[in-house]
Amino acid sequence: MLSNIRIILVETSHAGNIGSAARAMKTMGLSDLALVAPRKYPHPKATALASNAADLLDTATVYDTLDDAIADCDLVVGTSTRARTIPWPLLTPRAFAEQMKVEAALTKKTAVLFGREASGLTNDELHRCHYHIQIPTNPDYSSLNIACALQVIAYELRVASLPANTTPVQWDYPFATAAQMESFYEHLHRVLIDTEFLNPAVPRQLMTRLRRLFSRARLDEMEMNILRGILTAVEKNLHK
Amino acid sequence: MLSNIRIILVETSHAGNIGSAARAMKTMGLSDLALVAPRKYPHPKATALASNAADLLDTATVYDTLDDAIADCDLVVGTSTRARTIPWPLLTPRAFAEQMKVEAALTKKTAVLFGREASGLTNDELHRCHYHIQIPTNPDYSSLNIACALQVIAYELRVASLPANTTPVQWDYPFATAAQMESFYEHLHRVLIDTEFLNPAVPRQLMTRLRRLFSRARLDEMEMNILRGILTAVEKNLHK
């Protein structure tokens, strides 16, 4: 899915933004970058801001016109913050990414257009799109930097492209079993009485609260052993 | 929910990144910015890159230590790309945002930490966190620019903070009713026969495909009227 997505930057003014865009793309696994009539390109600032994504600049294609850049694309979407005189089908970044996933096998090449820093995409350009993507922004200030807007959309595409539960949680010790925890609670209870912190005649909710705390944390065996070690150390010192 | 979130940039080296971060925050409706021991600040480059979010720089608080910056926070989360020697509870940006929404009424102030450009957060800093947030990245290149990482997390927080279906689709004309569409299809069918495009003895799936096309597009009244106008114009010219 990600390999079929072409990011197209239209008439970008600042070379640095092209580099930052390449970096944002690569972090999310996108690699097909097209530039339509960039103002200054190639440019050392683009290379510097691309950081370790400069390889995307090496393989980027520069086009004279948007029509050339989208010629082989069977889906074209444009990013836009402004409402248009003729409303166009509108998707959130998430809905777009979900649709891309569902239609991945049907779509040969998808173009995602990002407009000029100051003025975005023209109406003519937006009318070449099947639909528009609008990032939900603060109504008082909706002007995302190009790389940041690209990062959000590329992020949604990456999340959609990942199989569900792709990153199993890593942990270094097995979690304590219920039997181990009961044994720990007995030990804890004993020490709390020994230390006269807990009065067995008036226990209140003390053990319940401690149970809730340690349950919530879901102790691993190492942590439980550390706590039991502390309890044992306390006991030894009490009975000296 | 958004007003209770403090973004903390720890020992940022490049002043421009502080400005870009402020811009990313404001586009998503965040406003509480804290800087821990920034290398160069205030700085004209920060102001320039903040664009129309420079007001966030004016109200940003500069702290000498991270502990000072998080002192009043009851939830502290850190952004991290590296696996740690001692695994820490880990959330995706989306799961974090969803948890923030659910716990919004319980949480006084949440700190979200972003580390140094070159080296991120130290282990000491990460150990001050309740959990870590990891943006799902390309395993071959996971280095997001600070503002871009912030943009992704702020975007997820904003999306979570919005009531569902907050942006009703805008359209300029009412959609055509079923009766109007049937009348249009009759008209279309008549013209296709008149133009000898459709042979009523061998209709094949032609009308079905046209129905599917126009249904999928969900014609509005204006569009339907335009199509009917075209059909009428064709008819007039045929019968001249």
Side-chain angles (χ1 to χ4, degrees), chain A residues 146-158:
Chain A
I146 289 180
C148 285
L150 175 48
Q151 188 78 60
V152 165
I153 291 175
Y155 158 77
E156 283 285 6
L157 290 167
R158 179 162 195 84

Side-chain angles (χ1 to χ4, degrees), chain A residues 23 27 94 138 143 155-156, chain B residues 23 27 94 138 155-156:
Chain A
R23 180 172 174 183
T27 61
R94 188 158 306 168
N138 179 356
S143 165
Y155 158 77
E156 283 285 6
Chain B
R23 180 172 174 184
T27 60
R94 189 159 304 166
N138 179 356
Y155 158 76
E156 283 285 7

